[in-house]
mmCIF file of all heavy atoms in Angstrom:
data_model
loop_
_atom_site.group_PDB
_atom_site.id
_atom_site.type_symbol
_atom_site.label_atom_id
_atom_site.label_comp_id
_atom_site.label_asym_id
_atom_site.label_seq_id
_atom_site.Cartn_x
_atom_site.Cartn_y
_atom_site.Cartn_z
ATOM 1 N N LEU O 1 130.961 162.778 66.751
ATOM 2 C CA LEU O 1 131.171 162.016 67.979
ATOM 3 C C LEU O 1 130.396 162.575 69.167
ATOM 4 O O LEU O 1 130.383 161.958 70.235
ATOM 5 C CB LEU O 1 132.663 162.005 68.354
ATOM 6 C CG LEU O 1 133.643 161.426 67.335
ATOM 7 C CD1 LEU O 1 135.085 161.655 67.804
ATOM 8 C CD2 LEU O 1 133.386 159.943 67.116
ATOM 9 N N MET O 2 129.736 163.742 68.981
ATOM 10 C CA MET O 2 129.156 164.448 70.115
ATOM 11 C C MET O 2 127.654 164.198 70.240
ATOM 12 O O MET O 2 126.933 164.106 69.246
ATOM 13 C CB MET O 2 129.384 165.961 69.952
ATOM 14 C CG MET O 2 130.825 166.341 69.648
ATOM 15 S SD MET O 2 132.008 165.824 70.918
ATOM 16 C CE MET O 2 131.589 166.987 72.220
ATOM 17 N N ASN O 3 127.196 164.123 71.500
ATOM 18 C CA ASN O 3 125.767 163.989 71.736
ATOM 19 C C ASN O 3 125.110 165.362 71.840
ATOM 20 O O ASN O 3 125.763 166.401 71.656
ATOM 21 C CB ASN O 3 125.492 163.129 72.984
ATOM 22 C CG ASN O 3 126.045 163.747 74.262
ATOM 23 O OD1 ASN O 3 126.317 164.951 74.334
ATOM 24 N ND2 ASN O 3 126.227 162.931 75.280
ATOM 25 N N LEU O 4 123.831 165.374 72.162
ATOM 26 C CA LEU O 4 123.071 166.624 72.138
ATOM 27 C C LEU O 4 123.525 167.644 73.186
ATOM 28 O O LEU O 4 123.297 168.845 73.012
ATOM 29 C CB LEU O 4 121.579 166.323 72.338
ATOM 30 C CG LEU O 4 120.813 165.911 71.076
ATOM 31 C CD1 LEU O 4 119.419 165.428 71.444
ATOM 32 C CD2 LEU O 4 120.734 167.059 70.094
ATOM 33 N N ILE O 5 124.150 167.188 74.242
ATOM 34 C CA ILE O 5 124.590 168.137 75.277
ATOM 35 C C ILE O 5 126.064 168.489 75.130
ATOM 36 O O ILE O 5 126.662 169.092 76.018
ATOM 37 C CB ILE O 5 124.295 167.602 76.700
ATOM 38 C CG1 ILE O 5 125.040 166.278 76.959
ATOM 39 C CG2 ILE O 5 122.807 167.433 76.909
ATOM 40 C CD1 ILE O 5 124.899 165.805 78.411
ATOM 41 N N GLY O 6 126.655 168.117 73.998
ATOM 42 C CA GLY O 6 128.019 168.542 73.696
ATOM 43 C C GLY O 6 129.111 167.692 74.295
ATOM 44 O O GLY O 6 130.278 168.105 74.300
ATOM 45 N N HIS O 7 128.774 166.515 74.792
ATOM 46 C CA HIS O 7 129.778 165.585 75.313
ATOM 47 C C HIS O 7 130.007 164.462 74.310
ATOM 48 O O HIS O 7 129.151 164.188 73.462
ATOM 49 C CB HIS O 7 129.317 164.985 76.647
ATOM 50 C CG HIS O 7 129.143 165.996 77.728
ATOM 51 N ND1 HIS O 7 128.330 165.784 78.824
ATOM 52 C CD2 HIS O 7 129.659 167.245 77.882
ATOM 53 C CE1 HIS O 7 128.368 166.842 79.612
ATOM 54 N NE2 HIS O 7 129.158 167.738 79.054
ATOM 55 N N HIS O 8 131.165 163.806 74.413
ATOM 56 C CA HIS O 8 131.386 162.632 73.587
ATOM 57 C C HIS O 8 130.304 161.593 73.892
ATOM 58 O O HIS O 8 130.072 161.255 75.052
ATOM 59 C CB HIS O 8 132.772 162.022 73.868
ATOM 60 C CG HIS O 8 133.841 162.554 72.969
ATOM 61 N ND1 HIS O 8 134.253 163.864 73.004
ATOM 62 C CD2 HIS O 8 134.580 161.943 71.989
ATOM 63 C CE1 HIS O 8 135.204 164.042 72.098
ATOM 64 N NE2 HIS O 8 135.414 162.911 71.465
ATOM 65 N N ALA O 9 129.633 161.137 72.838
ATOM 66 C CA ALA O 9 128.628 160.091 73.024
ATOM 67 C C ALA O 9 129.295 158.834 73.553
ATOM 68 O O ALA O 9 130.456 158.548 73.248
ATOM 69 C CB ALA O 9 127.932 159.793 71.703
ATOM 70 N N GLU O 10 128.549 158.072 74.340
ATOM 71 C CA GLU O 10 129.098 156.836 74.892
ATOM 72 C C GLU O 10 129.423 155.848 73.778
ATOM 73 O O GLU O 10 130.439 155.164 73.803
ATOM 74 C CB GLU O 10 128.110 156.211 75.870
ATOM 75 C CG GLU O 10 128.607 154.917 76.494
ATOM 76 C CD GLU O 10 127.606 154.317 77.470
ATOM 77 O OE1 GLU O 10 126.610 155.002 77.796
ATOM 78 O OE2 GLU O 10 127.820 153.164 77.896
ATOM 79 N N ASN O 11 128.548 155.796 72.788
ATOM 80 C CA ASN O 11 128.736 154.883 71.661
ATOM 81 C C ASN O 11 127.812 155.327 70.529
ATOM 82 O O ASN O 11 127.052 156.299 70.661
ATOM 83 C CB ASN O 11 128.449 153.433 72.062
ATOM 84 C CG ASN O 11 127.126 153.276 72.804
ATOM 85 O OD1 ASN O 11 126.154 153.977 72.489
ATOM 86 N ND2 ASN O 11 127.078 152.384 73.778
ATOM 87 N N ASN O 12 127.874 154.627 69.398
ATOM 88 C CA ASN O 12 127.007 154.962 68.268
ATOM 89 C C ASN O 12 125.532 154.850 68.624
ATOM 90 O O ASN O 12 124.706 155.638 68.149
ATOM 91 C CB ASN O 12 127.320 154.040 67.093
ATOM 92 C CG ASN O 12 128.500 154.501 66.262
ATOM 93 O OD1 ASN O 12 128.391 155.419 65.456
ATOM 94 N ND2 ASN O 12 129.645 153.849 66.467
ATOM 95 N N ALA O 13 125.199 153.870 69.444
ATOM 96 C CA ALA O 13 123.798 153.646 69.790
ATOM 97 C C ALA O 13 123.183 154.846 70.499
ATOM 98 O O ALA O 13 121.985 155.108 70.344
ATOM 99 C CB ALA O 13 123.667 152.395 70.645
ATOM 100 N N GLU O 14 123.989 155.585 71.247
ATOM 101 C CA GLU O 14 123.454 156.775 71.912
ATOM 102 C C GLU O 14 122.989 157.799 70.879
ATOM 103 O O GLU O 14 121.934 158.425 71.042
ATOM 104 C CB GLU O 14 124.505 157.402 72.834
ATOM 105 C CG GLU O 14 123.967 158.627 73.575
ATOM 106 C CD GLU O 14 124.999 159.304 74.467
ATOM 107 O OE1 GLU O 14 126.097 158.737 74.669
ATOM 108 O OE2 GLU O 14 124.701 160.411 74.954
ATOM 109 N N LEU O 15 123.754 157.961 69.810
ATOM 110 C CA LEU O 15 123.370 158.905 68.769
ATOM 111 C C LEU O 15 122.113 158.425 68.031
ATOM 112 O O LEU O 15 121.234 159.228 67.698
ATOM 113 C CB LEU O 15 124.525 159.098 67.783
ATOM 114 C CG LEU O 15 125.822 159.666 68.377
ATOM 115 C CD1 LEU O 15 126.867 159.826 67.287
ATOM 116 C CD2 LEU O 15 125.573 160.995 69.079
ATOM 117 N N VAL O 16 122.038 157.126 67.771
ATOM 118 C CA VAL O 16 120.837 156.565 67.143
ATOM 119 C C VAL O 16 119.623 156.773 68.048
ATOM 120 O O VAL O 16 118.550 157.178 67.592
ATOM 121 C CB VAL O 16 121.026 155.070 66.831
ATOM 122 C CG1 VAL O 16 119.723 154.453 66.323
ATOM 123 C CG2 VAL O 16 122.130 154.863 65.806
ATOM 124 N N GLN O 17 119.796 156.507 69.333
ATOM 125 C CA GLN O 17 118.692 156.639 70.287
ATOM 126 C C GLN O 17 118.182 158.083 70.348
ATOM 127 O O GLN O 17 116.976 158.331 70.402
ATOM 128 C CB GLN O 17 119.142 156.190 71.672
ATOM 129 C CG GLN O 17 118.073 156.277 72.749
ATOM 130 C CD GLN O 17 116.928 155.303 72.519
ATOM 131 O OE1 GLN O 17 117.138 154.215 71.989
ATOM 132 N NE2 GLN O 17 115.715 155.693 72.884
ATOM 133 N N GLN O 18 119.113 159.040 70.319
ATOM 134 C CA GLN O 18 118.704 160.446 70.374
ATOM 135 C C GLN O 18 117.857 160.814 69.153
ATOM 136 O O GLN O 18 116.853 161.519 69.281
ATOM 137 C CB GLN O 18 119.938 161.346 70.459
ATOM 138 C CG GLN O 18 120.613 161.297 71.812
ATOM 139 C CD GLN O 18 121.789 162.244 71.940
ATOM 140 O OE1 GLN O 18 122.280 162.515 73.026
ATOM 141 N NE2 GLN O 18 122.265 162.755 70.832
ATOM 142 N N ILE O 19 118.254 160.343 67.982
ATOM 143 C CA ILE O 19 117.482 160.617 66.770
ATOM 144 C C ILE O 19 116.135 159.905 66.822
ATOM 145 O O ILE O 19 115.108 160.446 66.396
ATOM 146 C CB ILE O 19 118.275 160.202 65.522
ATOM 147 C CG1 ILE O 19 119.380 161.214 65.241
ATOM 148 C CG2 ILE O 19 117.371 160.066 64.302
ATOM 149 C CD1 ILE O 19 118.868 162.591 64.860
ATOM 150 N N SER O 20 116.115 158.699 67.341
ATOM 151 C CA SER O 20 114.868 157.950 67.454
ATOM 152 C C SER O 20 113.877 158.674 68.361
ATOM 153 O O SER O 20 112.699 158.830 68.029
ATOM 154 C CB SER O 20 115.150 156.549 67.993
ATOM 155 O OG SER O 20 113.967 155.791 68.094
ATOM 156 N N VAL O 21 114.350 159.141 69.504
ATOM 157 C CA VAL O 21 113.488 159.868 70.439
ATOM 158 C C VAL O 21 113.030 161.182 69.823
ATOM 159 O O VAL O 21 111.853 161.562 69.921
ATOM 160 C CB VAL O 21 114.231 160.118 71.770
ATOM 161 C CG1 VAL O 21 113.436 161.087 72.657
ATOM 162 C CG2 VAL O 21 114.478 158.811 72.494
ATOM 163 N N LEU O 22 113.956 161.883 69.161
ATOM 164 C CA LEU O 22 113.614 163.137 68.507
ATOM 165 C C LEU O 22 112.536 162.916 67.453
ATOM 166 O O LEU O 22 111.571 163.696 67.345
ATOM 167 C CB LEU O 22 114.863 163.733 67.859
ATOM 168 C CG LEU O 22 114.709 165.053 67.104
ATOM 169 C CD1 LEU O 22 114.237 166.162 68.036
ATOM 170 C CD2 LEU O 22 116.026 165.447 66.443
ATOM 171 N N SER O 23 112.663 161.837 66.692
ATOM 172 C CA SER O 23 111.674 161.515 65.663
ATOM 173 C C SER O 23 110.305 161.279 66.280
ATOM 174 O O SER O 23 109.279 161.770 65.776
ATOM 175 C CB SER O 23 112.107 160.272 64.891
ATOM 176 O OG SER O 23 113.391 160.436 64.331
ATOM 177 N N GLN O 24 110.277 160.524 67.359
ATOM 178 C CA GLN O 24 109.016 160.253 68.034
ATOM 179 C C GLN O 24 108.392 161.543 68.556
ATOM 180 O O GLN O 24 107.172 161.733 68.470
ATOM 181 C CB GLN O 24 109.246 159.263 69.169
ATOM 182 C CG GLN O 24 109.647 157.868 68.699
ATOM 183 C CD GLN O 24 110.138 156.996 69.835
ATOM 184 O OE1 GLN O 24 109.804 157.209 70.988
ATOM 185 N NE2 GLN O 24 110.966 156.012 69.508
ATOM 186 N N ASN O 25 109.231 162.438 69.089
ATOM 187 C CA ASN O 25 108.734 163.713 69.599
ATOM 188 C C ASN O 25 108.164 164.587 68.480
ATOM 189 O O ASN O 25 107.304 165.437 68.715
ATOM 190 C CB ASN O 25 109.834 164.462 70.331
ATOM 191 C CG ASN O 25 110.228 163.799 71.645
ATOM 192 O OD1 ASN O 25 109.465 162.984 72.182
ATOM 193 N ND2 ASN O 25 111.393 164.131 72.164
ATOM 194 N N MET O 26 108.671 164.368 67.252
ATOM 195 C CA MET O 26 108.172 165.106 66.087
ATOM 196 C C MET O 26 106.935 164.442 65.486
ATOM 197 O O MET O 26 106.370 164.937 64.507
ATOM 198 C CB MET O 26 109.270 165.205 65.015
ATOM 199 C CG MET O 26 110.459 166.053 65.425
ATOM 200 S SD MET O 26 111.831 165.937 64.215
ATOM 201 C CE MET O 26 111.117 166.778 62.787
ATOM 202 N N GLY O 27 106.537 163.309 66.060
ATOM 203 C CA GLY O 27 105.368 162.594 65.562
ATOM 204 C C GLY O 27 105.627 161.823 64.290
ATOM 205 O O GLY O 27 104.698 161.538 63.528
ATOM 206 N N LEU O 28 106.881 161.454 64.050
ATOM 207 C CA LEU O 28 107.256 160.753 62.826
ATOM 208 C C LEU O 28 107.334 159.256 63.055
ATOM 209 O O LEU O 28 107.793 158.799 64.097
ATOM 210 C CB LEU O 28 108.623 161.255 62.321
ATOM 211 C CG LEU O 28 108.700 162.736 61.974
ATOM 212 C CD1 LEU O 28 110.132 163.119 61.624
ATOM 213 C CD2 LEU O 28 107.758 163.080 60.838
ATOM 214 N N TYR O 29 106.888 158.515 62.064
ATOM 215 C CA TYR O 29 106.989 157.060 62.099
ATOM 216 C C TYR O 29 108.397 156.659 61.669
ATOM 217 O O TYR O 29 108.921 157.150 60.662
ATOM 218 C CB TYR O 29 105.951 156.443 61.156
ATOM 219 C CG TYR O 29 106.016 154.942 61.081
ATOM 220 C CD1 TYR O 29 105.404 154.152 62.045
ATOM 221 C CD2 TYR O 29 106.696 154.314 60.045
ATOM 222 C CE1 TYR O 29 105.459 152.764 61.978
ATOM 223 C CE2 TYR O 29 106.755 152.929 59.968
ATOM 224 C CZ TYR O 29 106.133 152.163 60.941
ATOM 225 O OH TYR O 29 106.196 150.791 60.871
ATOM 226 N N ILE O 30 109.030 155.764 62.436
ATOM 227 C CA ILE O 30 110.379 155.291 62.128
ATOM 228 C C ILE O 30 110.297 153.904 61.514
ATOM 229 O O ILE O 30 109.710 152.981 62.093
ATOM 230 C CB ILE O 30 111.250 155.264 63.400
ATOM 231 C CG1 ILE O 30 111.362 156.672 63.982
ATOM 232 C CG2 ILE O 30 112.642 154.714 63.078
ATOM 233 C CD1 ILE O 30 111.928 157.697 63.038
ATOM 234 N N ASN O 31 110.879 153.763 60.339
ATOM 235 C CA ASN O 31 110.820 152.491 59.627
ATOM 236 C C ASN O 31 111.580 151.387 60.354
ATOM 237 O O ASN O 31 112.701 151.593 60.823
ATOM 238 C CB ASN O 31 111.413 152.633 58.227
ATOM 239 C CG ASN O 31 110.519 153.396 57.281
ATOM 240 O OD1 ASN O 31 109.303 153.409 57.434
ATOM 241 N ND2 ASN O 31 111.117 154.041 56.292
ATOM 242 N N SER O 32 110.968 150.220 60.401
ATOM 243 C CA SER O 32 111.659 149.009 60.825
ATOM 244 C C SER O 32 112.425 148.463 59.639
ATOM 245 O O SER O 32 112.282 148.949 58.503
ATOM 246 C CB SER O 32 110.643 147.975 61.304
ATOM 247 O OG SER O 32 109.848 147.534 60.202
ATOM 248 N N VAL O 33 113.218 147.430 59.853
ATOM 249 C CA VAL O 33 113.937 146.818 58.730
ATOM 250 C C VAL O 33 112.946 146.212 57.738
ATOM 251 O O VAL O 33 113.181 146.227 56.518
ATOM 252 C CB VAL O 33 114.966 145.786 59.230
ATOM 253 C CG1 VAL O 33 114.287 144.562 59.831
ATOM 254 C CG2 VAL O 33 115.914 145.380 58.101
ATOM 255 N N GLU O 34 111.818 145.716 58.224
ATOM 256 C CA GLU O 34 110.797 145.173 57.322
ATOM 257 C C GLU O 34 110.197 146.286 56.452
ATOM 258 O O GLU O 34 109.982 146.091 55.249
ATOM 259 C CB GLU O 34 109.690 144.480 58.124
ATOM 260 C CG GLU O 34 110.109 143.205 58.822
ATOM 261 C CD GLU O 34 110.785 143.456 60.165
ATOM 262 O OE1 GLU O 34 110.781 144.614 60.642
ATOM 263 O OE2 GLU O 34 111.319 142.490 60.733
ATOM 264 N N ASP O 35 109.923 147.431 57.066
ATOM 265 C CA ASP O 35 109.421 148.576 56.300
ATOM 266 C C ASP O 35 110.433 148.986 55.233
ATOM 267 O O ASP O 35 110.065 149.264 54.086
ATOM 268 C CB ASP O 35 109.168 149.774 57.218
ATOM 269 C CG ASP O 35 108.086 149.542 58.242
ATOM 270 O OD1 ASP O 35 107.083 148.880 57.911
ATOM 271 O OD2 ASP O 35 108.244 150.028 59.373
ATOM 272 N N LEU O 36 111.691 149.058 55.629
ATOM 273 C CA LEU O 36 112.737 149.471 54.700
ATOM 274 C C LEU O 36 112.829 148.526 53.520
ATOM 275 O O LEU O 36 112.921 148.956 52.360
ATOM 276 C CB LEU O 36 114.083 149.556 55.428
ATOM 277 C CG LEU O 36 115.308 149.875 54.560
ATOM 278 C CD1 LEU O 36 115.125 151.179 53.797
ATOM 279 C CD2 LEU O 36 116.575 149.918 55.420
ATOM 280 N N ARG O 37 112.782 147.233 53.777
ATOM 281 C CA ARG O 37 112.884 146.272 52.674
ATOM 282 C C ARG O 37 111.654 146.359 51.759
ATOM 283 O O ARG O 37 111.779 146.156 50.545
ATOM 284 C CB ARG O 37 113.085 144.857 53.223
ATOM 285 C CG ARG O 37 114.509 144.631 53.726
ATOM 286 C CD ARG O 37 114.875 143.155 53.801
ATOM 287 N NE ARG O 37 116.307 143.006 54.051
ATOM 288 C CZ ARG O 37 116.838 142.657 55.227
ATOM 289 N NH1 ARG O 37 116.045 142.417 56.259
ATOM 290 N NH2 ARG O 37 118.135 142.567 55.362
ATOM 291 N N LYS O 38 110.495 146.665 52.302
ATOM 292 C CA LYS O 38 109.328 146.881 51.445
ATOM 293 C C LYS O 38 109.557 148.086 50.546
ATOM 294 O O LYS O 38 109.234 148.074 49.347
ATOM 295 C CB LYS O 38 108.072 147.093 52.295
ATOM 296 C CG LYS O 38 107.556 145.839 52.976
ATOM 297 C CD LYS O 38 106.350 146.159 53.850
ATOM 298 C CE LYS O 38 105.874 144.925 54.603
ATOM 299 N NZ LYS O 38 104.744 145.248 55.524
ATOM 300 N N ASN O 39 110.140 149.162 51.106
ATOM 301 C CA ASN O 39 110.450 150.354 50.319
ATOM 302 C C ASN O 39 111.458 150.031 49.223
ATOM 303 O O ASN O 39 111.339 150.506 48.090
ATOM 304 C CB ASN O 39 111.001 151.460 51.213
ATOM 305 C CG ASN O 39 109.946 152.066 52.117
ATOM 306 O OD1 ASN O 39 108.746 151.894 51.900
ATOM 307 N ND2 ASN O 39 110.385 152.768 53.139
ATOM 308 N N ILE O 40 112.473 149.255 49.583
ATOM 309 C CA ILE O 40 113.493 148.862 48.603
ATOM 310 C C ILE O 40 112.875 148.059 47.475
ATOM 311 O O ILE O 40 113.114 148.320 46.291
ATOM 312 C CB ILE O 40 114.625 148.075 49.295
ATOM 313 C CG1 ILE O 40 115.433 148.991 50.225
ATOM 314 C CG2 ILE O 40 115.537 147.416 48.260
ATOM 315 C CD1 ILE O 40 116.475 148.260 51.066
ATOM 316 N N PHE O 41 112.050 147.085 47.838
ATOM 317 C CA PHE O 41 111.390 146.244 46.836
ATOM 318 C C PHE O 41 110.547 147.101 45.888
ATOM 319 O O PHE O 41 110.616 146.956 44.660
ATOM 320 C CB PHE O 41 110.518 145.203 47.527
ATOM 321 C CG PHE O 41 109.723 144.330 46.585
ATOM 322 C CD1 PHE O 41 110.319 143.263 45.930
ATOM 323 C CD2 PHE O 41 108.381 144.606 46.334
ATOM 324 C CE1 PHE O 41 109.586 142.485 45.050
ATOM 325 C CE2 PHE O 41 107.654 143.839 45.460
ATOM 326 C CZ PHE O 41 108.257 142.758 44.807
ATOM 327 N N CYS O 42 109.780 148.033 46.463
ATOM 328 C CA CYS O 42 108.919 148.877 45.646
ATOM 329 C C CYS O 42 109.725 149.830 44.776
ATOM 330 O O CYS O 42 109.281 150.226 43.694
ATOM 331 C CB CYS O 42 107.950 149.669 46.527
ATOM 332 S SG CYS O 42 106.696 148.647 47.321
ATOM 333 N N SER O 43 110.916 150.216 45.227
ATOM 334 C CA SER O 43 111.718 151.174 44.459
ATOM 335 C C SER O 43 112.155 150.625 43.106
ATOM 336 O O SER O 43 112.454 151.389 42.190
ATOM 337 C CB SER O 43 112.943 151.603 45.272
ATOM 338 O OG SER O 43 113.942 150.591 45.289
ATOM 339 N N PHE O 44 112.205 149.311 42.972
ATOM 340 C CA PHE O 44 112.601 148.711 41.703
ATOM 341 C C PHE O 44 111.434 148.615 40.725
ATOM 342 O O PHE O 44 111.622 148.300 39.561
ATOM 343 C CB PHE O 44 113.198 147.320 41.937
ATOM 344 C CG PHE O 44 114.581 147.371 42.527
ATOM 345 C CD1 PHE O 44 114.781 147.136 43.887
ATOM 346 C CD2 PHE O 44 115.684 147.661 41.736
ATOM 347 C CE1 PHE O 44 116.057 147.193 44.435
ATOM 348 C CE2 PHE O 44 116.949 147.713 42.280
ATOM 349 C CZ PHE O 44 117.143 147.484 43.632
#
């Protein structure tokens, strides 16, 4: 339930947003739902 500064996150989206920003700062590409479905299709 906690955000990066140790407080209760406002909502789930705050936690998602923090990971998204962290990923971008790490230079990582974040999959869209279209990317994910392509991965799922290929996995079969």
Side-chain angles (χ1 to χ4, degrees):
L1 301 173
M2 309 301 288
N3 63 20
L4 277 171
I5 61 173
H7 297 157
H8 268 66
E10 180 180 350
N11 49 36
N12 277 283
E14 182 182 350
L15 299 181
V16 174
Q17 180 67 33
Q18 287 183 166
I19 285 294
S20 181
V21 170
L22 179 61
S23 304
Q24 293 168 24
N25 291 341
M26 293 172 68
L28 299 174
Y29 178 82
I30 299 302
N31 287 333
S32 67
V33 69
E34 292 83 9
D35 296 322
L36 175 57
R37 284 201 170 105
K38 288 177 183 177
N39 289 344
I40 292 174
F41 177 79
C42 291
S43 76
F44 286 102

